[in-house]
């Protein structure tokens, strides 16, 4: 069917995908009706935005920050007044961590949603939220929210009706009257939180039911094999694009399709569901985009972009690049980084480059890459875990373990960027030299995420070098989950400018953001070529646009605390010669000489 009102109408593909999964005309027609009504309801100012702003994720001007409303500002009313903070730092995209009404008590940092149409009353209400969106839009800031689609809180109205057997909700979740099927699933499905929430099912005596709970017991997995679940969640998503949300972060996407006998991760139908959501967003709210959260193996992550003409997620977290950065920081060896980013990503999609976020760091470096570089994968992972836990003697990092498994000693790590980069230890030991080194490390990390190909996403607090916050250890709702270590209250006390460390880190970050925005070579569509350098302590890349007038940029990052020489031959191999200027420090570098000197943790951005 062709629809003259909706210009991006793409029903043929949508129908085909939908019917290939559901084969249900009635449900499909219901979906189409609701799409039309959401299009009709879409405010005119947003329709205007739709015509003007489709390609914003590729722009160098897009610089993100993620934050918890309560930790950053207290509540939504106060957040609305913070637009000037983002503006002066240069942030143009703000990801607000879960803010929908969560269940009371433990709620996995808001990822257990009780109502998709209400705001967490501790933060405000929908009116307050609308004011934040409008205030941010007026300041040129886009808004991203979490859309938790794999599960709801067990208190959600659907869940409560489901356990009472009320139709059609009785088929909204994966519930079983006996443990036969759950036991079969447990044979093949790995556990997400083996320590804090073991198993994939929870048995409820009061309902005499086994319920699929991939994450915490209070998060019940939705049953996407039921078309009504897909329709209802698509409507919930459109509700948010229609109030002006520019970026929808789809939480935990690899998990949304379950199939007995499989590991229930990254299954083909997940990709179909995501493609359908992308089609729907582009039909009804084309200026909005989808960010997928898929923290899985590198080869699987990249598949969530889809293909050039069949995009699934517009943005994905570059989790391997993040892990490689931390690996390089600990080992002072940048070689792992050379292997990332170069993977092909479809046009009109981008990586999100980040160093820290609200979650832990899981050491997902491919074994063959490690072996190729001469590391034993198990021992190397153990080194990283202990380095960032701070338990290796020479470690400068202060972090905690997360999901430690005493059987194989496996774990992930938590901690803020600054604490993992050595600032906490240096401050504690009043070591001025180490403080300076740590501040340079933070700057180097931010330079990588801000100047690499993709959209940078800074984790709130990292721009002022926030240290770990240990208060969660005394809170019974949080003490089991060390991710709260890096979820501290933003420190507005005294003002950033009065604290020398904070203001230095802040000014460094601001300067890098300004640099990114100044040069078109940092646009998302411009290629990044990672160089294979002879000196392993240095990672380097070139941003280059073949066949255009744009001058390439050569970036070199020294991960070690010692001077390093880089042979210019490695650079000249890429047909780049002559005298270059460092865009931040202004110094001149002559590529006709044999080597370039980098001071401890120095980076050069040369053009
Ligand atoms: C995502 C979130 C994480 C949460 C999980 C379950 O991975 O980033 O914080 O625990 O989903 O919702």
């Amino acid at each position: 069917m062709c629809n003259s009102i909706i210009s991006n109408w793409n029903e043929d593909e949508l129908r085909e995908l939908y019917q290939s999964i559901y084969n249900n005309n009635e449900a499909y027609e219901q979906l189409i009706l609701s799409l039309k009504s959401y299009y009709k309801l879409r405010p005119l100012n947003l329709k205007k935005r739709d015509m003007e702003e489709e390609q914003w994720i590729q722009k160098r001007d897009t610089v993100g920050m993620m934050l918890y409303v309560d930790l950053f500002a207290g509540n939504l009313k106060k957040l609305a007044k913070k637009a000037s903070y983002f503006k002066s730092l240069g942030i143009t995209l703000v990801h607000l961590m879960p803010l929908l009404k969560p269940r009371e008590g433990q709620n996995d940092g808001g990822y257990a949603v009780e109502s998709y149409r209400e705001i967490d009353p501790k933060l405000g209400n929908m009116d307050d939220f609308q004011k934040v969106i409008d205030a941010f839009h007026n300041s040129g800031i886009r808004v991203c929210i979490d859309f938790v689609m794999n599960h709801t809180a067990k208190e959600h109205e659907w869940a409560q009706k489901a356990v009472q057997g009320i139709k059609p909700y009785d088929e909204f979740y994966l519930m079983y009257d006996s443990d036969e099927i759950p036991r079969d699933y447990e044979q093949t499905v790995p556990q997400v939180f083996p320590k804090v929430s073991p198993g994939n099912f929870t048995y409820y005596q009061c309902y005499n039911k086994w319920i699929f709970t991939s994450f915490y017991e209070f998060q019940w997995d939705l049953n996407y094999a039921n078309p009504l679940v897909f329709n209802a969640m698509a409507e919930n998503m459109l509700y948010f694009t229609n109030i002006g949300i520019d970026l929808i972060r789809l939480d935990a996407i690899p998990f949304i399709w379950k199939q007995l006998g499989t590991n229930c991760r990254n299954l083909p139908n997940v990709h179909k569901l995501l493609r359908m959501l992308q089609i729907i967003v582009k039909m009804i709210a084309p200026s909005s985009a989808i960010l997928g959260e898929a923290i899985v193996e590198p080869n699987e992550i990249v598949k969530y972009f889809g293909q050039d003409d069949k995009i699934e997620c517009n943005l994905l977290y570059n989790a391997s690049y993040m892990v490689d950065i931390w690996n390089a920081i600990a080992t002072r060896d940048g070689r792992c980084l050379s292997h990332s980013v170069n993977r092909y990503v479809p046009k009109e999609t981008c990586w999100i480059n980040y160093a820290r976020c609200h979650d832990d760091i899981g050491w997902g470096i491919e074994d063959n890459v490690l072996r190729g570089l001469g590391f034993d994968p198990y021992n190397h992972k153990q080194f990283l875990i202990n380095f960032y836990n701070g338990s290796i003697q020479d470690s400068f990092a202060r972090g905690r373990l997360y999901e430690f498994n005493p059987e194989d000693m496996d774990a992930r790590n938590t901690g803020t960027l600054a604490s993992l980069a050595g600032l906490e230890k240096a401050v504690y030991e009043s070591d001025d030299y180490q403080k300076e080194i740590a501040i340079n490390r933070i700057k180097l990390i931010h330079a990588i995420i801000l100047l690499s190909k993709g959209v940078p996403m800074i984790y709130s607090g990292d721009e002022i070098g926030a240290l770990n916050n240990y208060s969660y250890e005394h809170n019974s709702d949080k003490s089991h989950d060390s991710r709260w270590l890096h979820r501290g209250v933003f420190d507005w006390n005294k003002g950033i400018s009065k604290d020398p460390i904070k203001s230095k880190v802040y000014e460094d970050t601001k300067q890098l953001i300004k640099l990114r925005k100044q040069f078109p070579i940092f646009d998302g569509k411009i290629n990044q070529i990672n160089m294979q350098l002879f000196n392993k302590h240095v990672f380097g890349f070139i941003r280059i646009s073949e066949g255009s007038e744009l001058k390439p940029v050569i970036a070199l990052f020294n991960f070690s605390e010692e001077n390093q020489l880089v042979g210019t031959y490695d650079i000249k191999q890429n047909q780049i010669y002559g005298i270059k200027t460092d865009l931040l420090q202004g110094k001149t570098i002559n590529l006709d000489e044999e080597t370039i000197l980098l001071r401890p943790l120095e980076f050069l951005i040369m053009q």
Side-chain angles (χ1 to χ4, degrees):
M1 186 187 97
C2 170
N3 187 305
S4 55
I5 323 169
I6 306 181
S7 57
N8 293 329
W9 198 248
N10 180 8
E11 207 193 311
D12 291 345
E13 193 190 345
L14 182 62
R15 186 194 298 110
E16 197 186 313
L17 286 166
Y18 195 96
Q19 296 296 39
S20 74
I21 299 184
Y22 298 126
N23 194 18
N24 184 324
N25 288 330
E26 201 187 323
Y28 180 71
E29 289 311 323
Q30 186 210 57
L31 174 72
I32 292 300
L33 275 182
S34 68
L35 296 193
K36 286 183 181 163
S37 82
Y38 275 94
Y39 184 77
K40 223 168 156 183
L41 287 170
R42 186 157 176 82
L44 278 177
N45 63 325
L46 295 178
K47 285 189 174 160
K48 195 163 157 257
R49 213 171 155 79
D50 290 337
M51 290 192 284
E52 294 160 356
E53 307 208 10
E54 275 200 55
Q55 285 305 317
W56 58 269
I57 61 165
Q58 297 282 355
K59 293 191 179 152
R60 63 189 185 280
D61 187 48
T62 301
V63 178
M65 174 167 279
M66 56 190 293
L67 56 91
Y68 286 93
V69 176
D70 54 345
L71 301 178
F72 181 74
N75 58 35
L76 286 167
K77 280 202 172 82
K78 293 183 185 156
L79 180 68
K81 299 192 186 121
K82 296 282 186 209
S84 57
Y85 178 80
F86 303 116
K87 244 189 134 168
S88 78
L89 183 59
I91 299 297
T92 54
L93 166 68
V94 175
H95 168 194
L96 303 172
M97 302 293 295
L99 46 63
L100 301 182
K101 187 179 175 201
R103 71 187 293 270
E104 290 282 326
Q106 275 192 36
N107 54 40
D108 189 20
Y111 286 97
V113 177
E114 195 179 306
S115 164
Y116 289 90
R117 300 296 172 98
E118 284 168 86
I119 295 289
D120 180 347
K122 295 190 197 80
L123 305 177
N125 56 34
M126 271 301 170
D127 271 355
D128 301 327
F129 187 35
Q130 190 66 64
K131 286 187 183 126
V132 169
I133 298 169
D134 296 343
F136 280 22
H137 281 178
N138 288 336
S139 298
I141 300 162
R142 292 192 172 77
V143 183
C144 167
I145 62 161
D146 272 275
F147 188 64
V148 187
M149 65 177 299
N150 178 66
H151 44 260
T152 72
K154 64 178 178 184
E155 288 77 7
H156 190 287
E157 191 194 336
W158 298 342
Q160 285 312 303
K161 288 187 172 155
V163 282
Q164 292 170 49
I166 298 175
K167 288 196 180 317
Y169 305 100
D170 56 337
E171 288 180 12
F172 267 45
Y173 297 85
L174 293 121
M175 299 183 168
Y176 303 92
D177 295 334
S178 90
D179 69 347
E180 207 179 316
I181 295 175
R183 270 194 292 144
D184 285 348
Y185 270 113
E186 294 290 11
Q187 300 290 318
T188 54
V189 184
Q191 305 179 45
V192 183
F193 296 142
K195 193 164 162 252
V196 295
S197 181
N200 286 288
F201 283 83
T202 305
Y203 173 64
Y204 292 87
Q205 210 171 10
C206 49
Y207 313 126
N208 192 25
K209 284 198 190 307
W210 281 260
I211 300 182
F212 213 124
T213 52
S214 298
F215 293 84
Y216 283 104
E217 167 277 318
F218 49 80
Q219 292 162 311
W220 290 4
D221 289 52
L222 284 164
N223 174 20
Y224 279 91
N226 177 352
L228 299 186
V229 169
F230 179 81
N231 290 3
M233 290 304 273
E235 286 189 16
N236 280 335
M237 184 183 74
L238 290 177
Y239 170 80
F240 288 105
T241 52
N242 267 4
I243 63 169
I245 297 304
D246 304 280
L247 184 62
I248 300 279
R249 176 190 182 273
L250 298 181
D251 184 59
I253 47 177
F255 299 84
I256 59 179
W257 192 267
K258 317 288 194 284
Q259 197 178 314
L260 256 184
T262 73
N263 64 359
C264 296
R265 306 281 194 272
N266 313 308
L267 295 177
N269 278 350
V270 174
H271 291 279
K272 287 191 182 179
L273 294 174
L274 291 172
R275 175 66 191 148
M276 289 201 283
L277 291 177
Q278 175 68 222
I279 294 174
I280 289 171
V281 167
K282 289 301 151 196
M283 271 163 54
I284 313 300
S287 62
S288 299
I290 290 179
L291 158 62
E293 191 230 6
I295 311 300
V296 287
E297 311 85 83
N299 286 332
E300 290 294 337
I301 299 185
V302 73
K303 291 184 192 159
Y304 286 102
F305 281 125
Q307 296 143 23
D308 276 337
D309 58 343
K310 289 195 167 43
I311 305 294
E312 295 172 20
C313 298
N314 309 90
L315 288 162
L316 289 170
Y317 291 99
N318 202 351
S320 2
Y321 204 48
M322 179 274 291
V323 169
D324 290 340
I325 291 174
W326 287 109
N327 176 49
I329 288 284
T331 54
R332 286 80 158 175
D333 179 339
R335 288 175 299 163
C336 263
L337 273 163
S338 315
H339 294 264
S340 0
V341 164
N342 280 343
R343 288 167 201 277
Y344 176 77
V345 305
K347 290 183 211 96
E348 294 175 31
T349 67
C350 249
W351 289 111
I352 291 256
N353 291 319
Y354 67 114
R356 289 300 294 115
C357 68
H358 67 297
D359 279 332
D360 49 288
I361 306 174
W363 301 107
I365 311 179
E366 285 168 271
D367 285 1
N368 56 344
V369 172
L370 286 174
R371 275 194 210 99
L373 298 174
F375 297 110
D376 171 76
Y378 177 82
N379 290 335
H380 187 66
K381 204 168 163 191
Q382 284 300 306
F383 162 77
L384 292 170
I385 292 167
N386 294 316
F387 185 91
Y388 285 110
N389 184 29
S391 54
I392 282 182
Q393 210 193 353
D394 288 333
S395 169
F396 50 73
R398 288 286 175 271
R400 285 269 192 265
L401 298 182
Y402 179 67
E403 282 289 334
F404 172 64
N405 179 350
E407 275 162 36
D408 58 6
M409 305 300 278
D410 194 19
R412 312 181 215 161
N413 290 82
T414 57
T416 68
L417 188 152
S419 291
L420 297 180
L423 188 58
E424 183 171 326
K425 180 169 186 274
V427 167
Y428 183 76
E429 293 171 358
S430 303
D431 184 333
D432 285 340
Y433 175 70
Q434 287 303 330
K435 276 187 217 168
E436 195 187 317
I437 287 282
I439 289 170
N440 287 340
R441 237 180 241 124
I442 296 170
K443 187 173 182 182
L444 177 132
I445 295 171
H446 274 152
I448 297 178
I449 67 164
L450 279 156
L451 304 177
S452 295
K453 180 180 164 78
V455 173
M457 182 67 76
I458 296 169
Y459 184 51
S460 164
D462 290 347
E463 80 280 21
I464 56 165
L467 303 181
N468 291 337
N469 182 319
Y470 295 90
S471 64
Y472 80 98
E473 290 174 345
H474 311 291
N475 178 332
S476 58
D477 277 343
K478 296 178 176 166
S479 54
H480 62 285
D481 187 337
S482 72
R483 292 177 299 177
W484 289 98
L485 181 64
H486 52 257
R487 298 175 185 171
V489 175
F490 192 91
D491 184 5
W492 296 99
N493 285 338
K494 285 199 301 189
I496 294 164
S497 59
K498 298 207 181 78
D499 180 315
I501 295 183
K502 275 190 206 157
S503 72
K504 174 76 174 87
V505 177
Y506 176 87
E507 291 303 331
D508 284 350
T509 314
K510 186 170 168 172
Q511 188 191 28
L512 286 164
I513 294 175
K514 201 169 151 213
L515 177 75
R516 171 187 165 92
K517 290 189 183 178
Q518 213 178 331
F519 293 92
I521 197 78
F522 295 121
D523 270 328
K525 59 179 186 299
I526 308 287
N527 264 343
Q528 170 171 340
I529 300 172
N530 295 338
M531 289 185 282
Q532 306 295 324
L533 301 174
F534 192 68
N535 186 332
K536 68 174 186 182
H537 302 294
V538 181
F539 165 60
F541 62 74
I542 302 176
R543 297 294 304 270
I544 190 163
S545 169
E546 302 287 350
S548 94
E549 304 261 285
L550 293 180
K551 288 192 202 148
V553 154
I554 308 110
L556 295 176
F557 305 87
N558 175 9
F559 282 97
S560 83
E561 294 87 351
E562 271 143 46
N563 286 342
Q564 296 297 336
L565 289 174
V566 173
T568 50
Y569 174 78
D570 292 337
I571 300 170
K572 285 187 285 206
Q573 269 188 334
N574 297 283
Q575 323 301 327
I576 294 172
Y577 313 95
I579 294 176
K580 307 287 166 206
T581 309
D582 178 86
L583 299 178
L584 269 191
Q585 309 174 51
K587 69 181 183 189
T588 307
I589 297 106
N590 187 351
L591 295 184
D592 293 336
E593 283 171 15
E594 250 169 54
T595 53
I596 299 175
L597 173 75
L598 284 117
R599 292 192 308 270
L601 292 155
E602 187 184 20
F603 58 88
L604 296 172
I605 310 297
M606 301 174 282
Q607 193 174 48

